[in-house]
Amino acid sequence: MRAFASTARRRRGAQIHPPVSQLPLFDFTGWTLNVLRRILYLVTRTQVFPETPEMLKLRPDLPVCYVLNERHLSNLLVLDHECRELGLPAALRPLRDPAFTARRSFFFLSRNERGRLVPNPRSDHSQLLKSLVRTAVADPRFDVQLVPVTILWGREPDKQDSILKALFAETWQSVSTLRQLFAIVIHGRHTVVRFNAPISLRELLSGKTDASHAVRKLGRILRVHFRRQREMAIGPDLSHRHTQLRTLLNTSEVRKAIADEAQSKSISLLAAQRSARDFALEIASDYTYSVVRAFALFLTWVWNKVYNGVEVHNFERVTAVAPGHGIVYVPCHRSHVDYLLLSYIIFNRGLMVPHIAAGANLNLPLVGSILRRSGAFFLRRKIKGEALYATVFVEYLHLMIDRGFPIEYFIEGGRSRSGRTLAPKAGILAMTIQSFVRSRARPLVFVPVYIGYEKLMEGSSYLAELHGRPKKSESLTDLVSAARLLKRNFGKVHVNFGPPLALAEFLDAQHPAWRDEDSNAQAPWLRSVVDATATVLARSINASAVVNPVNLIAVTLLSTPKHAADLRLLQKQIEHAQYLLTETPYAESIVACDLPAGEVVDYVLRLDMAERHPHPLGDMIRATDQQAALLAYFRNNVLHLFALPALLACLVSHNQVLTRQRAKEAIKGIYGLLRAELFLPWEVDQLDALIDRTEAALSRRGLILGDSQIAILRAPSPNSEASPELRQLGEIIRPTLERQFLTLALLQHHGSGRLTRAALEDATHLLAQRLALLYEFNSAEFSEKLLFANVIRNLIDAGILRLDDAGLLCFDERITLAAAQTELLLAADVRHSIQLIARAASAANSGADPAADS
């Protein structure tokens, strides 16, 4: 029966097309294609529609020409094979008619129609199609049957149950040769081939005499046809890249920037347009659901390998505002895992994955493609002098915000190497606010997100950078070498979603007339609002911190002289820290660790973040130099939560006896700098009540001996157990105070108008390194240059420092007052060491030209 059917098919083919032996072979056929076809069908099984050639209702008196959408050899081989199997006219044989002859009976609609941002119908159409149309226009008797053939490698993405199948299923995105090869290997046995009903070229022309216009019309009809076929098979095209970028390049702002680019660089308008298109392709995401789903499956496996769990807190805050609002997720930036983890959480809870602003350094081969298809859009680190690029990026961001796509970016810019929240970089935040003010298409909310780790994958590289090794650029080699991390245990990850910040309401409070103001990026009101928003978001991230066992060990064990403590005393210090978090709450969004102190220690030991040393008089817990350096990162994660209790503990411990009023004055004197560095939430007029509450909590723990009658604060007796406990509590904040005091002391010894900002940053950084080496004061993060840059920036913002016209730092007697307040909080030996090294550095440079300092 099968042999008869094959014979019948051959006969039906002979009625339509001349015998094969009478026709010259197309020059790309022959034994090479036969071999390739046989190899292809070792891994390919097809489901063909229609099942019989009669269902196509081909006319035997007209030639047949097949139309394929994308130019891939595999598609052509499948077409050729299935034509043979069905007994249809061969696609690789010449097309012949008394009025027309061609060397083949097929053409590709375009070179890569799905991958082109701005297709050019005049140049993209097949030469065969143009020849057919010209012949039909010239000869009214000529006609040909166009048979569109749809070939789909793989089924609908949301029916894939494995990473590879989901990743390489049919999508709307452009397909490279390599990706097509993977699709064949993975999905070859589930290939769909659909021969569509023939289209009469004569009927399509409908008497048109303009060949070029007819070609464009026919191209449009065929593109629509293939699009509908694909929609029917895999759903509508939701690709942001294809639905948005043409609109982007046609905005008035981009068109003007293109014209300015052509004029300023003396290039043609076409060249400027090409640059704009290249920038758009470089920037834009290429969101692909199949890739996102495959990535989610892959990340599920990764998280299960490296983490003990991912705990999510307060996600209901997002689901409550998601309907009807545009969302901008603003997480802290501690690791490359941040954006993967956050997208994973959002996707698995049923919300759309945000489009993530990623640094161009991550646009690596393969990695960049996967991230782009997962929703990442890329931003160059430096865009100064690239006006066209900047305009394209701003308009792209505006388009996403205007159309309601959720967005994610890190206001800190880069990853924090120290563990504390970095000073915000307002660039992309300013673009966001400007975009909202410009259109106000829908309400916009910022969602601060705190991500807390118990162990960092990048811990070793951070330490190396803090010790002076240059930051290493990301590479594929690093990605491959990171695979070994899958064998290690990184504890749990905590993700806490803070209270959303409604932008319109915030603008109303900051600048009530914002709706009537100019949205120009340089408008003074807008810049001040951006700075205020950045500060509020940084504070909100800090106010959403999650305290984990590693944080508790870090703030307690690092406060001991040699990073070692008796187990019993360490547990008691942990209990002090937990009590203070409960009795002096920082914010409602804080998630505390309620594990018993003994379990906290055991947990951290299992993570290999500290060591237990058995001893007859009681076990000791100790951190090696490497462990201590890593623990400093996790202390800094929660340093702001203990800032006020630690300040008060410092004061009382180092002064033994002082009045309550003097303590408050000292704290208020240093609070401005400390608030700016740690993004503390309280206003100065709130401090009195907060200090009273903190004092009461410390008194209940027996760490401060207060006398309400004479308003005196006393430290416990030096011989008591509480005395070292109070001192260790104060040690939590000591590195921060030392850093500030070193900066102030260096300014005092050099004098006003003697240093540039850059020179002061370099000097403080180098002196801190020297101080750490000579006196073993702190871990490597103590001398991080960025932290000193923040101290200097805070002094300028507070008005204590100012830059003169020559770029030199000037100050008055307020420097002495600030230094005196800080000095009150440090031990005598620490103050002496800092003063000594600052004086030596100043003397060494005393004969130098001030301008040379820069």
Side-chain angles (χ1 to χ4, degrees):
M1 186 70 179
R2 182 174 298 176
F4 174 81
S6 299
T7 303
R9 289 175 180 173
R10 285 196 294 270
R11 288 175 179 170
R12 281 191 294 271
Q15 293 175 351
I16 299 174
H17 210 73
V20 171
S21 60
Q22 300 177 12
L23 297 174
L25 291 175
F26 174 49
D27 56 8
F28 194 48
T29 62
W31 70 270
T32 304
L33 283 182
N34 285 330
V35 171
L36 290 174
R37 185 175 64 249
R38 290 177 184 274
I39 294 174
L40 177 65
Y41 271 80
L42 291 176
V43 295
T44 301
R45 298 293 182 271
T46 58
Q47 186 176 10
V48 182
F49 301 98
E51 297 179 355
T52 62
E54 291 83 3
M55 298 176 67
L56 280 178
K57 299 180 181 180
L58 292 172
R59 289 179 56 182
D61 58 322
L62 293 178
V64 175
C65 185
Y66 301 98
V67 186
L68 292 168
N69 190 21
E70 286 193 310
R71 185 181 296 267
H72 287 294
L73 177 59
S74 56
N75 290 345
L76 179 57
L77 295 175
V78 168
L79 172 63
D80 177 53
H81 180 85
E82 300 307 328
C83 285
R84 292 168 182 264
E85 290 295 307
L86 287 173
L88 292 171
L92 295 178
R93 301 303 182 187
L95 188 156
R96 285 190 172 181
D97 183 85
F100 182 86
T101 301
R103 300 175 65 190
R104 58 186 183 181
S105 297
F106 74 93
F107 65 84
F108 295 101
L109 181 59
S110 64
R111 291 187 176 275
N112 202 346
E113 179 63 22
R114 283 187 283 160
R116 293 294 294 273
L117 179 60
V118 185
N120 186 344
R122 298 178 185 274
S123 61
D124 283 358
H125 289 304
S126 163
Q127 291 299 325
L128 178 55
L129 174 60
K130 295 176 182 178
S131 299
L132 288 171
V133 171
R134 284 196 298 266
T135 303
V137 170
D139 185 352
R141 294 172 298 174
F142 174 72
D143 195 6
V144 65
Q145 299 174 97
L146 300 177
V147 179
V149 183
T150 302
I151 301 176
L152 301 174
W153 300 86
R155 298 184 178 183
E156 192 168 347
D158 61 5
K159 294 183 179 179
Q160 306 302 330
D161 56 0
S162 74
I163 295 173
L164 283 177
K165 288 182 179 180
L167 189 60
F168 291 100
E170 278 285 347
T171 70
W172 287 95
Q173 278 62 54
S174 59
V175 179
S176 66
T177 301
L178 181 61
R179 191 186 188 282
Q180 179 74 359
L181 179 60
F182 278 116
I184 291 169
V185 172
I186 296 167
H187 288 295
R189 296 182 181 274
H190 302 283
T191 302
V192 174
V193 181
R194 185 180 298 277
F195 289 86
N196 300 110
I199 302 171
S200 169
L201 179 60
R202 172 60 49 198
E203 292 178 4
L204 286 176
L205 294 179
S206 302
K208 292 188 178 295
T209 57
D210 184 346
S212 61
H213 184 269
V215 168
R216 292 195 297 273
K217 175 186 175 183
L218 185 55
R220 286 196 302 270
I221 292 172
L222 290 172
R223 282 195 296 272
V224 169
H225 168 82
F226 280 115
R227 184 178 185 85
R228 288 175 178 172
Q229 290 293 314
R230 189 167 293 277
E231 285 179 349
M232 181 178 67
I234 67 172
D237 181 5
L238 298 179
S239 167
H240 178 68
R241 194 181 188 86
H242 293 93
T243 56
Q244 305 297 326
L245 292 191
R246 294 181 189 177
T247 302
L248 169 66
L249 294 177
N250 284 320
T251 60
S252 58
E253 289 80 4
V254 172
R255 290 201 306 271
K256 181 179 182 301
I258 289 172
D260 293 343
E261 179 86 353
Q263 183 177 7
S264 64
K265 295 188 176 180
S266 300
I267 59 177
S268 68
L269 191 62
L270 183 62
Q273 289 173 339
R274 190 178 299 113
S275 295
R277 183 180 62 208
D278 290 344
F279 289 150
L281 290 170
E282 175 188 335
I283 293 166
S285 68
D286 194 9
Y287 179 87
T288 309
Y289 176 78
S290 60
V291 174
V292 171
R293 192 171 190 281
F295 213 8
L297 291 168
F298 170 71
L299 290 176
T300 300
W301 175 78
V302 171
W303 304 150
N304 288 332
K305 292 284 288 185
V306 300
Y307 294 126
N308 293 333
V310 177
E311 295 195 6
V312 180
H313 308 271
N314 298 311
F315 190 78
E316 66 278 2
R317 288 171 169 163
V318 182
T319 56
V321 300
H325 288 82
I327 298 179
V328 179
Y329 297 94
V330 188
C332 60
H333 201 9
R334 305 281 162 79
S335 167
H336 279 314
V337 175
D338 297 341
Y339 39 83
L340 302 177
L341 187 66
L342 186 54
S343 292
Y344 174 83
I345 290 169
I346 294 168
F347 178 78
N348 279 350
R349 281 161 176 73
L351 296 186
M352 183 178 179
V353 171
H355 290 259
I356 307 167
N361 57 307
L362 295 178
N363 194 14
L364 302 169
L366 182 62
V367 175
S369 178
I370 293 174
L371 293 178
R372 194 185 295 276
R373 284 171 168 78
S374 301
F377 60 99
F378 293 95
L379 171 65
R380 295 178 183 178
R381 294 294 186 185
K382 296 180 180 179
I383 61 176
K384 188 175 182 180
E386 291 282 359
L388 179 58
Y389 177 91
T391 300
V392 172
F393 184 87
V394 168
E395 290 305 307
Y396 176 77
L397 183 66
H398 173 68
L399 197 63
M400 288 194 296
I401 294 172
D402 194 52
R403 299 195 175 185
F405 287 93
I407 299 171
E408 174 192 337
Y409 51 72
F410 303 97
I411 58 173
E412 296 171 275
R415 291 167 291 157
S416 172
R417 266 66 176 177
S418 63
R420 55 172 51 84
T421 301
L422 302 180
K425 295 181 179 179
I428 194 169
L429 178 63
M431 298 177 198
T432 304
I433 297 175
Q434 182 186 8
S435 173
F436 176 73
V437 172
R438 177 174 152 191
S439 66
R440 304 192 294 276
R442 69 187 67 231
L444 188 69
V445 296
F446 291 99
V447 177
V449 185
Y450 178 90
I451 303 175
Y453 300 92
E454 294 178 347
K455 203 170 184 179
L456 273 178
M457 292 186 180
E458 297 99 329
S460 297
S461 64
Y462 284 178
L463 288 182
E465 291 173 24
L466 290 173
H467 279 103
R469 191 187 75 182
K471 181 182 179 296
K472 186 178 179 182
S473 299
E474 288 75 9
S475 67
L476 284 176
T477 305
D478 295 333
L479 180 65
V480 173
S481 62
R484 68 179 185 274
L485 298 176
L486 296 176
K487 298 180 181 180
R488 297 171 58 185
N489 177 18
F490 289 89
K492 287 185 179 180
V493 185
H494 294 266
V495 181
N496 190 17
F497 292 83
L501 175 69
L503 183 55
E505 295 177 9
F506 184 77
L507 292 177
D508 286 338
Q510 295 292 317
H511 191 79
W514 65 274
R515 292 176 177 83
D516 302 320
E517 294 278 10
D518 180 13
S519 62
N520 187 290
Q522 302 304 317
W525 78 271
L526 187 59
R527 283 187 287 177
S528 64
V529 163
V530 168
D531 290 341
T533 309
T535 300
V536 167
L537 290 175
R539 290 174 182 169
S540 296
I541 291 171
N542 271 0
S544 302
V546 179
V547 182
N548 61 49
V550 179
N551 298 140
L552 290 173
I553 288 291
V555 298
T556 52
L557 192 59
L558 293 186
S559 298
T560 60
K562 294 186 177 181
H563 305 150
D566 175 83
L567 176 58
R568 183 186 64 83
L569 295 178
L570 179 63
Q571 291 177 352
K572 189 172 181 181
Q573 201 70 14
I574 291 171
E575 290 170 355
H576 286 326
Q578 291 176 313
Y579 182 83
L580 290 170
L581 288 174
T582 302
E583 295 300 312
T584 59
Y586 186 92
E588 292 182 359
S589 296
I590 297 297
V591 178
C593 175
D594 56 3
L595 283 177
E599 293 183 23
V600 168
V601 175
D602 291 340
Y603 187 91
V604 174
L605 292 176
R606 289 196 298 271
L607 285 177
D608 195 30
M609 295 292 284
E611 298 176 347
R612 182 195 293 264
H613 290 266
H615 193 275
L617 298 181
D619 288 357
M620 302 288 292
I621 304 299
R622 175 180 177 271
T624 65
D625 291 343
Q626 176 82 1
Q627 290 169 335
L630 291 172
L631 284 174
Y633 191 96
F634 298 97
R635 174 196 60 197
N636 292 340
N637 288 171
V638 296
L639 180 62
H640 57 286
L641 303 182
F642 296 96
L644 197 54
L647 272 177
L648 189 56
C650 258
L651 275 169
V652 178
S653 177
H654 293 314
N655 295 278
Q656 293 297 302
V657 179
L658 75 167
T659 65
R660 185 174 288 111
Q661 185 60 33
R662 183 71 183 93
K664 290 182 177 181
E665 289 175 356
I667 291 175
K668 289 178 183 178
I670 195 65
Y671 178 73
L673 294 179
L674 204 61
R675 185 190 191 194
E677 181 168 347
L678 300 180
F679 299 102
L680 301 177
W682 310 294
E683 300 296 334
V684 175
D685 58 8
Q686 297 176 278
L687 286 180
D688 282 338
L690 290 168
I691 294 170
D692 290 341
R693 185 175 63 181
T694 302
E695 179 200 330
L698 292 173
S699 296
R700 287 193 294 271
R701 298 295 293 180
L703 298 176
I704 285 182
L705 307 177
D707 190 333
S708 58
Q709 299 297 322
I710 57 176
I712 293 292
L713 301 179
R714 298 179 183 274
S717 168
N719 297 324
S720 67
E721 192 173 274
S723 179
E725 292 172 4
L726 180 66
R727 185 171 62 254
Q728 288 174 26
L729 180 60
E731 287 289 298
I732 296 174
I733 201 68
R734 179 170 67 92
T736 302
L737 299 175
E738 289 171 357
R739 195 179 295 111
Q740 293 181 350
F741 186 64
L742 175 60
T743 306
L744 295 170
L746 197 60
L747 281 167
Q748 281 185 303
H749 288 296
H750 274 87
S752 178
R754 299 294 304 277
L755 291 173
T756 65
R757 184 171 183 171
L760 181 59
E761 289 177 6
D762 289 338
T764 50
H765 168 62
L766 293 174
L767 291 181
Q769 286 182 330
R770 186 174 182 84
L771 198 63
L773 289 172
L774 289 174
Y775 300 99
E776 298 183 345
F777 270 5
N778 297 285
S779 59
E781 61 91 22
F782 172 72
S783 59
E784 186 184 7
K785 189 174 181 179
L786 184 58
L787 296 180
F788 282 99
N790 288 340
V791 172
I792 297 166
R793 177 183 58 82
N794 295 336
L795 287 169
I796 293 173
D797 290 344
I800 297 174
L801 287 180
R802 63 178 179 84
L803 289 168
D804 64 12
D805 295 338
L808 298 174
L809 293 169
C810 300
F811 53 87
D812 52 28
E813 67 279 356
R814 286 178 295 174
I815 279 284
T816 303
L817 178 61
Q821 299 287 15
T822 306
E823 187 174 342
L824 188 64
L825 292 156
L826 298 177
D829 59 333
V830 174
R831 298 197 304 267
H832 176 72
S833 298
I834 292 176
Q835 291 280 12
L836 184 66
I837 200 167
R839 189 178 303 115
S842 176
N845 293 328
S846 60
D849 184 351
D853 289 332
S854 61

